[in-house]
Amino acid sequence: FIGFYPSFVQTPAVYDDEQIGFDEQTVIKFSHVVAENTPKGLAAQEFARLVQEKTKGRVKVEVYPNSILYAEPDEIEALQKGNVQMIAPSFPNMSEVLPSWMVLDLPYAFLTQEAAQEAFEGKIGKLLFEQLNQVNMVGLAYWSSGFKQLTSNKGPILQPDDLKGQHLRTMRSTLLDAEFQLLGAKTTQMPFNLVYRGLESGTVDGEENSITNIYSKKFFKVQKYLTLTNHGYLGYAVLMNRSFWQKLSPEIQLQIQQAMKETTAWAYHNAIQMNDEQFEKIKLESQLQINSLTTEQLSEWMRAWEPIYPQYESVIGTELMDEIRRLRK
Ligand code: LMR
């Protein structure tokens, strides 16, 4: 018996007509935009499996991958309205709703995987999740796709100047547009499910993404150059509709939290492994010219993007900026 929500739990508008918990089975629709064979896709499935196990089937998580239900930006609205109960949007999509989330998309914000993890588990992760109350969401975890790399058809991108005249697809983020435009690129925002076609048809020359997204959506088949820049971090906020969450019994909430904790620990290692494995597959399965940056080139990129930090200080807020500067040291 899941139901029976205690009187101190406020009944929010969106779910007024439903009796979550009195049904035999509570269904959580979890919508996302990437392929199943990705860190996010597999983490969503693992979470579904663990919820099933821990709640003994009283809660069922239905996973809808590949933008089957919603692409960006509609997935956010679908969550807020309660058309789905869970999504895991990448950080750029979050910053369009809550601008201080831009802190996670600053260029070279994280120099190591561990630094990103420290941010998620520490002050930054906590402060950003606190803001979700305002937008009818609850943050359950931070997941990772991996570091972002640059791909293009127009020419190898090895130094900041190579971006001049390139037309890049960007995720939904004014910050990411500003980062590339600062270095002379033209940008066009495009939902993830349109990127392959955009690259293939030449609407855009290139894009930035994690290796697992480049592999699973076959971007590498329609690109000539890939540079391992690691210039940004593609991560996800794993979110639940707040009104829905508050209607779950404390017991179910605990089981879901436990399932999420285990999933997240597993997903962290799985993402690293998948990026390594799929990078090897890209090398085997493509004609792509792959470049790495020299230490000197890396410093050039960091120097070129430095003006973004003071420019976005007031949008992001000093507390978050101070913490990201500490993590970058
Ligand atoms: C993209 O739009 O390229 C990514 O944010 C997709 C994703 O969710 O990993």
Side-chain angles (χ1 to χ4, degrees):
F1 182 64
I2 326 169
F4 191 74
Y5 28 95
S7 56
F8 60 82
V9 176
Q10 284 194 354
T11 317
V14 180
Y15 286 93
D16 263 359
D17 298 328
E18 293 183 23
Q19 296 187 316
I20 294 170
F22 289 98
D23 297 332
E24 221 163 74
Q25 192 178 52
T26 299
V27 173
I28 295 176
K29 287 191 178 161
F30 186 165
S31 167
H32 70 80
V33 302
V34 297
E36 287 175 286
N37 185 28
T38 56
K40 177 160 64 178
L42 293 183
Q45 285 172 24
E46 177 65 1
F47 174 67
R49 187 185 71 76
L50 286 170
V51 167
Q52 168 91 14
E53 189 181 290
K54 288 186 193 299
T55 65
K56 302 195 168 47
R58 289 183 298 174
V59 178
K60 183 177 182 212
V61 178
E62 291 176 357
V63 182
Y64 297 90
N66 290 311
S67 319
I68 298 174
L69 286 188
Y70 299 101
E72 325 90 310
D74 300 343
E75 60 174 2
I76 302 245
E77 203 186 313
L79 180 79
Q80 288 176 311
K81 284 187 173 162
N83 296 338
V84 292
Q85 290 69 43
M86 280 185 78
I87 58 172
S90 58
F91 299 147
N93 295 289
M94 293 308 295
S95 66
E96 290 306 286
V97 185
L98 298 163
S100 49
W101 278 72
M102 284 180 191
V103 69
L104 299 172
D105 282 321
L106 287 166
Y108 288 106
F110 305 113
L111 302 179
T112 62
Q113 187 79 43
E114 290 75 26
Q117 207 53 28
E118 198 180 329
F120 302 157
E121 287 169 9
K123 193 171 176 182
I124 292 181
K126 185 168 166 284
L127 287 172
L128 293 179
F129 270 2
E130 277 169 12
Q131 297 186 356
L132 296 172
N133 297 354
Q134 314 161 32
V135 288
N136 196 29
M137 298 176 189
V138 176
L140 297 180
Y142 291 91
W143 289 350
S144 304
S145 181
F147 283 99
K148 287 185 290 185
Q149 322 299 345
L150 286 172
T151 66
S152 179
N153 278 327
K154 196 156 193 171
I157 301 170
L158 291 170
Q159 47 207 21
D161 262 0
D162 295 333
L163 279 181
K164 287 206 175 102
Q166 296 255 2
H167 185 182
L168 299 183
R169 173 268 173 167
T170 42
M171 300 178 204
R172 191 165 161 259
S173 159
T174 51
L175 169 65
L176 294 177
D177 282 345
E179 290 177 19
F180 290 118
Q181 287 168 12
L182 175 71
L183 306 183
K186 183 180 168 197
T187 59
T188 298
Q189 293 187 6
M190 213 179 266
F192 185 61
N193 62 348
L194 299 183
V195 179
Y196 179 89
R197 227 176 307 151
L199 295 170
E200 190 189 33
S201 66
T203 309
V204 287
D205 302 314
E207 56 94 53
E208 54 159 0
N209 233 309
S210 62
I211 290 292
T212 55
N213 277 344
I214 293 168
Y215 179 74
S216 59
K217 287 295 179 189
K218 301 196 170 23
F219 298 163
F220 71 98
K221 302 257 187 196
V222 286
Q223 293 280 265
K224 292 199 183 97
Y225 306 98
L226 181 152
T227 310
L228 300 170
T229 47
N230 289 329
H231 65 278
Y233 195 82
L234 183 62
Y236 305 114
V238 188
L239 307 172
M240 194 175 274
N241 174 292
R242 189 172 194 82
S243 316
F244 176 84
W245 172 253
Q246 288 174 332
K247 283 208 160 189
L248 298 171
S249 71
E251 186 198 0
I252 290 288
Q253 286 183 347
L254 204 67
Q255 289 163 340
I256 287 177
Q257 279 167 329
Q258 192 53 39
M260 186 53 79
K261 201 170 161 202
E262 285 175 35
T263 303
T264 302
W266 172 84
Y268 174 76
H269 297 286
N270 184 53
I272 294 171
Q273 194 181 326
M274 285 190 92
N275 274 284
D276 289 348
E277 283 170 8
Q278 295 188 348
F279 180 56
E280 292 307 313
K281 287 187 177 162
I282 288 177
K283 282 201 280 191
L284 283 175
E285 292 173 28
S286 77
Q287 306 295 319
L288 209 57
Q289 187 192 110
I290 300 173
N291 293 294
S292 307
L293 299 182
T294 62
T295 318
E296 224 165 78
Q297 285 166 335
L298 174 66
S299 311
E300 256 185 74
W301 282 98
M302 292 183 74
R303 239 191 339 266
W305 264 323
E306 207 44 50
I308 292 286
Y309 280 74
Q311 195 183 333
Y312 281 84
E313 174 106 31
S314 63
V315 179
I316 291 169
T318 307
E319 204 177 359
L320 288 165
M321 289 299 285
D322 283 348
E323 184 64 5
I324 207 79
R325 277 189 286 257
R326 186 186 71 76
L327 288 170
R328 282 180 99 211
K329 285 210 177 103

